[in-house]
Amino acid sequence: YCLDSGLSWEPRSRAVEQVHLRCTEGSLEWMYPARALRVVLEPNLASARHTTVCIKPASDFQGASIYVERAGQLHLVVSEAEGARSHHVSCFSAHTPQRVALFLQASPQRDISRRMASFQYELLSNQSAAGPDFKKMALVEAMCRPCDNVELLMAICSSDFVVKGSIRNVSHDSENHMSQVDVSVQKVYRQKNRIFQQDEASGEWRGPIRTLLQCKVKKGGGDFLFTGNEHFGEAWLGCAPRFKDFMFIYRAARERGANPCEFQLN
């Protein structure tokens, strides 16, 4: 995947312009929206089978609505009114996994000088993520149960972030069915983006991790190994064993030659 969208224009003397996005994850900004824009998501990975598309409008999304094309029909995904809700993420199944077409229809406006229709998108390949909203997509990571040893050993190899730390605070957002775990980080083994950062004043490394409210996460003492994946610039919790338990599991697997990847112990 790539974070910056690869753009190619097909200029034509007609009202609808067409843009091709070649990445599995990216963003698009349509400044001064007028008439219509057709956005084709067709990643360069020919073998990919992306079954779910998720779209997150920017907090200042204005001037257009987003539709998905299916069998020649347009189905509304994000209306201009919904776009103003920055937490709102829309997910839908991709009937044609290697090519998904979105249609952005500009809203009639006399003054478009300050309007911009901007959104992020992700193409997912896990079928269990399919659903009408972001909560079901989050279930891929937040399964509200402890990972078994095999899942844990795979998580340290394939997760977007792997950090050792302790829980500073847990806050709950009942409206959006989410919880946030604020982590005090001792060591960053891996992170895709800079979610975990060093506080300039205290020198402490910190970062927020999200999970589902139904997981009923509570503050607990001791050190944990936090793993998970990122969606739209936010970290979502995957496996999170106590660090001493992880060390025991990993060392036993390495002695048997059953560790799927090497992990830095020191």
Side-chain angles (χ1 to χ4, degrees):
Y1 70 90
C2 51
L3 292 175
D4 292 325
S5 302
L7 302 180
S8 62
W9 286 89
E10 291 185 1
R12 295 189 177 125
S13 57
R14 60 183 186 182
V16 179
E17 296 285 358
Q18 185 158 263
V19 179
H20 290 264
L21 302 183
R22 305 292 186 182
C23 305
T24 59
E25 178 180 341
S27 60
L28 181 140
E29 293 181 354
W30 187 20
M31 300 182 68
Y32 320 130
R35 297 186 295 275
L37 182 69
R38 188 171 185 263
V39 180
V40 182
L41 308 179
E42 45 182 1
N44 288 328
L45 302 176
S47 60
R49 288 292 181 269
H50 301 101
T51 60
T52 302
V53 180
C54 292
I55 295 173
K56 182 178 183 180
S59 57
D60 57 352
F61 184 97
Q62 292 185 74
S65 296
I66 304 175
Y67 300 80
V68 61
E69 291 185 8
R70 285 195 178 128
Q73 300 292 321
L74 296 179
H75 300 270
L76 182 65
V77 177
V78 178
S79 68
E80 183 176 15
E82 289 176 330
R85 298 162 54 197
S86 60
H87 65 266
H88 180 75
V89 175
S90 299
C91 298
F92 54 89
S93 60
H95 288 186
T96 307
Q98 292 179 327
R99 184 182 175 93
V100 177
L102 304 175
F103 188 86
L104 278 68
Q105 176 67 58
S107 305
Q109 300 290 338
R110 291 185 177 181
D111 179 15
I112 63 170
S113 59
R114 296 186 179 181
R115 293 181 177 271
M116 180 170 64
S118 175
F119 66 90
Q120 296 172 278
Y121 72 92
E122 287 188 13
L123 304 181
L124 304 176
S125 57
N126 193 315
Q127 290 187 352
S128 64
D133 53 32
F134 190 45
K135 289 176 287 183
K136 291 188 178 180
M137 186 175 84
L139 281 170
V140 178
E141 274 71 51
M143 302 205 296
C144 303
R145 63 171 176 79
C147 296
D148 61 30
N149 292 356
V150 174
E151 291 171 328
L152 174 57
L153 292 171
M154 286 303 300
I156 64 173
C157 304
S158 60
S159 295
D160 290 338
F161 65 88
V162 181
V163 300
K164 176 186 178 181
S166 57
I167 300 175
R168 299 179 69 249
N169 185 47
V170 178
S171 56
H172 304 289
D173 182 353
S174 57
E175 180 182 353
N176 296 312
H177 307 281
M178 297 177 186
S179 297
Q180 179 170 300
V181 182
D182 294 316
V183 176
S184 177
V185 178
Q186 298 177 24
K187 185 174 181 60
V188 177
Y189 294 98
R190 183 193 314 130
Q191 63 172 327
K192 187 169 73 171
N193 295 306
R194 291 180 54 81
I195 290 178
F196 304 96
Q197 300 187 33
Q198 189 174 26
D199 182 78
E200 294 182 0
S202 65
E204 181 184 16
W205 282 78
R206 300 174 180 174
I209 302 176
R210 292 183 172 241
T211 187
L212 295 182
L213 185 66
Q214 67 195 54
C215 294
K216 299 180 180 179
V217 175
K218 297 180 180 180
K219 183 178 179 179
D223 296 332
F224 296 83
L225 187 74
F226 297 97
T227 72
N229 289 317
E230 294 182 22
H231 295 296
F232 301 108
E234 297 175 339
W236 282 82
L237 187 63
C239 300
R242 291 192 175 274
F243 192 78
K244 61 180 181 180
D245 295 334
F246 159 72
M247 292 290 287
F248 177 80
I249 294 168
Y250 178 77
R251 284 173 173 157
R254 190 172 64 173
E255 289 178 2
R256 302 192 313 270
N259 54 314
C261 65
E262 289 294 325
F263 187 81
Q264 180 184 357
L265 293 177
N266 298 325

